């Protein structure tokens, strides 16, 4: 499906493929331990979305997610670990870790793991939402983007943020935008409402939407579930 919207301030590369994936710690099998059916479906959908992005053979894959300060960038030699989640696992962002490397946030580490699992050999660059548009505008196509972020963590009474009746409709609107390739709808998401509903993906989704708002987008929604009271949305886009 396609959509046209207002022209953003900066125009991205000639061809951009995007995988939208959530970033819960349990996405990494070492954190979860024994796999549940829900996480097996989640990982499968993420792997398929990443494979779709890599099928365009990008020279660069941009990872965008929360936790990165404006102007901060991650690349070769940077690495982190999952010790805060009870497992002694190091996760390199791109290549062999350096002793002086930066420590990327969890969304970027999980993205790096997904890219490693997919056999990605492209150069990787990690940024926060504030820097996505300018970076894409500076890169020749094709470019891959891995956009990491969760939906609302208030979908059920057992959710991290307890139940909020607005959480389901909010995530449903995001799912509809992802399924339709509606970049303008993503760009227009209310950041205050996203923060209230503990939807950590909103800044990232808004940044992708703004960067692609004047583009024709082909879209596929692969997963829309909330098995643990948190919205998990997986999709892939291709724009030209």
């Amino acid at each position: 499906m396609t959509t046209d919207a207002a022209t953003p301030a900066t125009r991205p590369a000639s061809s951009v493929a995007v995988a939208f994936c959530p970033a819960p710690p349990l996405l990494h099998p070492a954190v979860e331990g024994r796999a549940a059916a829900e996480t097996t479906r989640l990982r499968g959908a993420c792997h398929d979305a990443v494979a779709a992005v890599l099928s365009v053979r990008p020279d660069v894959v941009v990872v965008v997610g929360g936790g990165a300060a404006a102007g901060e960038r991650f690349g070769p030699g940077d690495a982190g670990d999952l010790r805060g989640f009870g497992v002694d696992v190091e996760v390199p962002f791109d290549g062999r870790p350096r002793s002086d490397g930066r420590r990327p946030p969890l969304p970027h580490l999980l993205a790096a793991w997904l890219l490693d699992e997919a056999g990605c050999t492209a150069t990787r660059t990690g940024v926060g939402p504030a820097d996505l548009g300018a970076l894409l505008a500076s890169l020749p196509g094709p470019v891959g983007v891995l956009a990491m972020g969760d939906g609302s963590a208030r979908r059920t009474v057992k959710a991290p943020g307890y139940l909020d009746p607005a959480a389901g409709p909010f995530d449903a609107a995001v799912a509809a935008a992802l399924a339709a390739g509606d970049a303008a709808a993503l760009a227009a998401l209310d950041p205050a409402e996203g923060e209230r509903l503990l939807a950590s993906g909103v800044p990232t989704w808004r940044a992708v939407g703004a960067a692609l708002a004047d583009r024709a987008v082909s879209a596929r929604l692969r997963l829309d579930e909330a098995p643990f009271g948190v919205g998990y949305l997986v999709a892939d886009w291709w724009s030209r």
Side-chain angles (χ1 to χ4, degrees):
M1 298 183 184
T2 61
T3 181
D4 292 311
T7 302
T10 55
R11 183 175 180 82
S14 58
S15 176
V16 179
V18 185
F20 297 88
C21 297
L26 55 72
L27 182 64
H28 197 290
V31 175
E32 184 185 26
R34 185 175 181 178
E38 297 89 345
T39 49
T40 297
R41 287 196 300 273
L42 171 61
R43 292 188 193 104
C46 289
H47 290 322
D48 289 345
V50 171
V53 166
L54 297 183
S55 70
V56 306
R57 299 189 178 185
D59 292 327
V60 178
V61 175
V62 178
V63 176
V64 56
E72 191 172 23
R73 188 171 295 191
F74 305 103
D78 295 338
D81 60 66
L82 302 176
R83 295 186 184 94
F85 305 100
V87 293
D88 188 12
V89 174
E90 185 175 54
V91 182
F93 181 75
D94 188 2
R96 183 184 295 274
R98 298 191 320 267
S99 59
D100 61 344
R102 294 176 179 268
R103 294 181 60 83
L106 179 64
H108 297 74
L109 294 179
L110 293 172
W113 173 76
L114 287 171
L115 292 169
D116 286 343
E117 289 288 295
C120 175
T121 58
T123 298
R124 304 173 194 178
T125 299
V127 295
D131 296 312
L132 179 65
L135 177 57
L136 289 183
S138 71
L139 296 171
V143 174
V145 176
L146 188 40
M148 306 294 292
D150 298 353
S152 176
R154 305 191 70 177
R155 292 283 295 271
T156 68
V157 294
K158 294 184 178 181
Y162 197 70
L163 174 65
D164 189 307
F170 184 88
D171 282 355
V174 176
L178 292 174
D182 192 343
L186 286 190
L189 289 172
D190 184 345
E193 183 69 352
E195 184 174 0
R196 188 182 73 80
L197 295 174
L198 306 181
S200 63
V202 169
T204 294
W205 297 332
R206 282 172 48 86
V208 174
L212 302 183
D214 67 339
R215 310 290 290 253
V217 175
S218 298
R220 176 165 40 191
L221 180 67
R222 295 183 180 269
L223 186 78
D224 175 10
E225 296 184 359
F228 309 110
V230 182
Y232 295 154
L233 300 162
V234 181
D236 53 86
W237 285 8
W238 181 79
S239 71
R240 60 187 185 278

